[in-house]
Amino acid sequence: AGLAGTHERILLGAGEPATGGEAVRFAFREAEARRCTLDAVRTWRCPAHETAEHPLLAGDPAHYHEEQASAVLDALLHDPMADHPGVRVRRHTVEGPARKALLHLSAAADLVIVGAQRRSGHLGLQLGRVGHTLLHHAACPVAIVPQRV
Protein backbone atom coordinates (compact mmCIF):
# COMPACT_ATOMS: atom_id res chain seq x y z
CA ALA A 1 0.00 0.00 0.00
CA GLY A 2 2.09 2.94 1.25
CA LEU A 3 2.03 6.16 -0.75
CA ALA A 4 0.83 4.44 -3.91
CA GLY A 5 -2.47 3.66 -2.22
CA THR A 6 -3.38 7.34 -2.04
CA HIS A 7 -3.36 7.66 -5.82
CA GLU A 8 -5.08 4.43 -6.82
CA ARG A 9 -8.40 4.50 -8.63
CA ILE A 10 -10.98 1.77 -8.94
CA LEU A 11 -13.37 1.91 -11.88
CA LEU A 12 -16.80 0.34 -11.33
CA GLY A 13 -18.96 -0.42 -14.33
CA ALA A 14 -22.41 -0.05 -12.74
CA GLY A 15 -24.76 -2.50 -14.42
CA GLU A 16 -28.37 -3.34 -13.76
CA PRO A 17 -29.48 -3.47 -10.10
CA ALA A 18 -30.60 -7.09 -10.53
CA THR A 19 -27.18 -8.24 -11.77
CA GLY A 20 -24.72 -5.70 -10.38
CA GLY A 21 -25.27 -5.54 -6.63
CA GLU A 22 -22.44 -7.91 -5.71
CA ALA A 23 -20.00 -6.03 -7.95
CA VAL A 24 -20.93 -2.73 -6.29
CA ARG A 25 -20.42 -4.15 -2.79
CA PHE A 26 -17.08 -5.70 -3.83
CA ALA A 27 -15.94 -2.37 -5.34
CA PHE A 28 -16.71 -0.50 -2.11
CA ARG A 29 -14.84 -3.09 -0.01
CA GLU A 30 -11.82 -2.84 -2.33
CA ALA A 31 -11.85 0.97 -2.35
CA GLU A 32 -12.07 1.01 1.44
CA ALA A 33 -9.23 -1.51 1.85
CA ARG A 34 -7.02 0.35 -0.64
CA ARG A 35 -8.09 3.78 0.69
CA CYS A 36 -8.66 4.96 -2.87
CA THR A 37 -11.24 6.72 -5.01
CA LEU A 38 -14.08 4.75 -6.56
CA ASP A 39 -15.23 5.96 -9.98
CA ALA A 40 -18.74 4.58 -10.53
CA VAL A 41 -19.78 4.70 -14.19
CA ARG A 42 -23.22 4.10 -15.67
CA THR A 43 -23.55 4.36 -19.44
CA TRP A 44 -26.65 5.31 -21.36
CA ARG A 45 -27.77 5.48 -24.96
CA CYS A 46 -30.50 7.29 -26.82
CA PRO A 47 -32.03 4.74 -29.23
CA ALA A 48 -32.08 6.02 -32.80
CA HIS A 49 -35.70 4.91 -33.36
CA GLU A 50 -37.13 7.15 -30.63
CA THR A 51 -38.95 10.30 -31.56
CA ALA A 52 -39.62 13.44 -29.57
CA GLU A 53 -43.39 12.77 -29.89
CA HIS A 54 -43.17 10.22 -27.06
CA PRO A 55 -44.68 11.98 -23.98
CA LEU A 56 -41.72 11.23 -21.68
CA LEU A 57 -39.19 12.32 -24.27
CA ALA A 58 -40.73 15.61 -25.37
CA GLY A 59 -38.05 18.23 -25.80
CA ASP A 60 -34.83 16.37 -25.05
CA PRO A 61 -34.71 12.56 -25.34
CA ALA A 62 -31.01 12.44 -24.44
CA HIS A 63 -31.67 14.29 -21.17
CA TYR A 64 -34.34 11.73 -20.26
CA HIS A 65 -31.96 8.78 -20.82
CA GLU A 66 -29.15 10.46 -18.89
CA GLU A 67 -31.53 11.14 -15.98
CA GLN A 68 -32.60 7.48 -16.00
CA ALA A 69 -28.95 6.37 -15.89
CA SER A 70 -28.28 8.75 -13.02
CA ALA A 71 -31.28 7.40 -11.08
CA VAL A 72 -30.09 3.79 -11.53
CA LEU A 73 -26.61 4.79 -10.38
CA ASP A 74 -28.06 6.51 -7.30
CA ALA A 75 -30.06 3.39 -6.44
CA LEU A 76 -27.05 1.10 -6.84
CA LEU A 77 -24.76 3.29 -4.73
CA HIS A 78 -27.16 4.33 -1.94
CA ASP A 79 -26.74 1.44 0.53
CA PRO A 80 -23.02 0.76 -0.08
CA MET A 81 -22.23 4.47 0.39
CA ALA A 82 -24.03 4.36 3.76
CA ASP A 83 -22.12 1.19 4.72
CA HIS A 84 -18.74 2.63 3.65
CA PRO A 85 -18.88 6.36 4.48
CA GLY A 86 -15.08 6.74 4.19
CA VAL A 87 -14.99 5.79 0.49
CA ARG A 88 -14.70 8.74 -1.89
CA VAL A 89 -17.07 8.11 -4.80
CA ARG A 90 -17.15 9.97 -8.08
CA ARG A 91 -20.31 9.33 -10.10
CA HIS A 92 -20.24 9.45 -13.90
CA THR A 93 -22.94 8.96 -16.51
CA VAL A 94 -21.47 8.45 -19.97
CA GLU A 95 -23.24 8.24 -23.32
CA GLY A 96 -22.33 5.24 -25.46
CA PRO A 97 -21.75 1.49 -25.28
CA ALA A 98 -20.56 0.36 -21.83
CA ARG A 99 -17.72 -1.79 -23.17
CA LYS A 100 -16.21 1.10 -25.14
CA ALA A 101 -16.58 3.63 -22.32
CA LEU A 102 -15.11 1.33 -19.66
CA LEU A 103 -12.28 0.23 -21.96
CA HIS A 104 -11.35 3.87 -22.54
CA LEU A 105 -11.60 4.74 -18.82
CA SER A 106 -9.55 1.68 -17.79
CA ALA A 107 -6.41 3.47 -19.01
CA ALA A 108 -6.56 5.74 -15.94
CA ALA A 109 -7.61 3.04 -13.44
CA ASP A 110 -5.75 0.52 -11.30
CA LEU A 111 -8.63 -1.96 -11.28
CA VAL A 112 -11.91 -2.22 -13.18
CA ILE A 113 -14.84 -4.09 -11.62
CA VAL A 114 -17.97 -5.33 -13.36
CA GLY A 115 -20.65 -7.87 -12.53
CA ALA A 116 -21.58 -11.07 -14.32
CA GLN A 117 -24.62 -13.28 -14.09
CA ARG A 118 -24.41 -16.72 -12.53
CA ARG A 119 -27.59 -18.62 -13.27
CA SER A 120 -28.36 -21.80 -11.36
CA GLY A 121 -27.99 -24.84 -13.56
CA HIS A 122 -25.34 -23.29 -15.79
CA LEU A 123 -21.65 -24.01 -15.50
CA GLY A 124 -19.57 -20.91 -14.93
CA LEU A 125 -20.42 -17.28 -15.41
CA GLN A 126 -22.45 -15.79 -18.24
CA LEU A 127 -20.02 -13.19 -19.53
CA GLY A 128 -21.61 -10.49 -21.62
CA ARG A 129 -19.93 -8.22 -24.14
CA VAL A 130 -18.69 -5.81 -21.46
CA GLY A 131 -16.92 -8.39 -19.29
CA HIS A 132 -15.52 -10.23 -22.30
CA THR A 133 -14.15 -7.04 -23.87
CA LEU A 134 -12.60 -5.86 -20.62
CA LEU A 135 -10.93 -9.21 -19.89
CA HIS A 136 -9.25 -9.16 -23.28
CA HIS A 137 -8.47 -5.46 -23.77
CA ALA A 138 -8.55 -3.44 -20.51
CA ALA A 139 -5.46 -1.41 -19.65
CA CYS A 140 -5.55 -2.58 -16.01
CA PRO A 141 -6.53 -5.68 -14.00
CA VAL A 142 -10.20 -6.70 -14.22
CA ALA A 143 -12.42 -8.19 -11.51
CA ILE A 144 -15.59 -9.89 -12.68
CA VAL A 145 -17.93 -10.40 -9.72
CA PRO A 146 -20.62 -13.08 -10.01
CA GLN A 147 -24.21 -12.25 -9.14
CA ARG A 148 -26.59 -15.14 -8.55
CA VAL A 149 -29.87 -14.52 -10.39
Side-chain angles (χ1 to χ4, degrees), residues 5 8-12 20-40 76-77 79-89 111 113-115 143-147:
E8 279 189 72
R9 289 177 55 198
I10 293 177
L11 177 62
L12 168 65
E22 290 297 328
V24 173
R25 287 186 285 279
F26 178 80
F28 271 85
R29 289 192 306 268
E30 280 297 304
E32 187 170 69
R34 295 173 185 227
R35 294 191 298 264
C36 71
T37 299
L38 176 61
D39 285 316
L76 276 166
L77 299 177
D79 289 347
M81 283 177 72
D83 294 340
H84 303 275
V87 173
R88 180 170 182 242
V89 180
L111 174 65
I113 299 171
V114 293
I144 307 247
V145 182
Q147 174 86 23

Side-chain angles (χ1 to χ4, degrees), residues 43-48 50 61-62 65-66 69 94-99 129:
T43 59
W44 60 275
R45 297 179 82 175
C46 190
E50 286 187 349
H65 289 288
E66 186 173 16
V94 178
E95 183 178 11
R99 66 186 186 278
R129 287 182 183 166

Side-chain angles (χ1 to χ4, degrees), residues 39-96:
D39 285 316
V41 177
R42 172 78 183 178
T43 59
W44 60 275
R45 297 179 82 175
C46 190
H49 66 273
E50 286 187 349
T51 66
E53 281 111 44
H54 188 285
L56 291 174
L57 305 177
D60 189 358
H63 179 73
Y64 170 78
H65 289 288
E66 186 173 16
E67 287 295 312
Q68 292 296 106
S70 185
V72 170
L73 193 54
D74 286 344
L76 276 166
L77 299 177
H78 182 268
D79 289 347
M81 283 177 72
D83 294 340
H84 303 275
V87 173
R88 180 170 182 242
V89 180
R90 292 190 297 208
R91 301 167 68 265
H92 308 276
T93 54
V94 178
E95 183 178 11

Side-chain angles (χ1 to χ4, degrees), residues 117-131:
Q117 295 181 12
R118 177 181 285 158
R119 294 188 177 99
S120 56
H122 284 77
L123 296 176
L125 296 176
Q126 306 300 308
L127 284 186
R129 287 182 183 166
V130 175

Side-chain angles (χ1 to χ4, degrees), residues 130-143:
V130 175
H132 189 267
T133 298
L134 289 170
L135 279 176
H136 289 279
H137 303 289
C140 65
V142 176

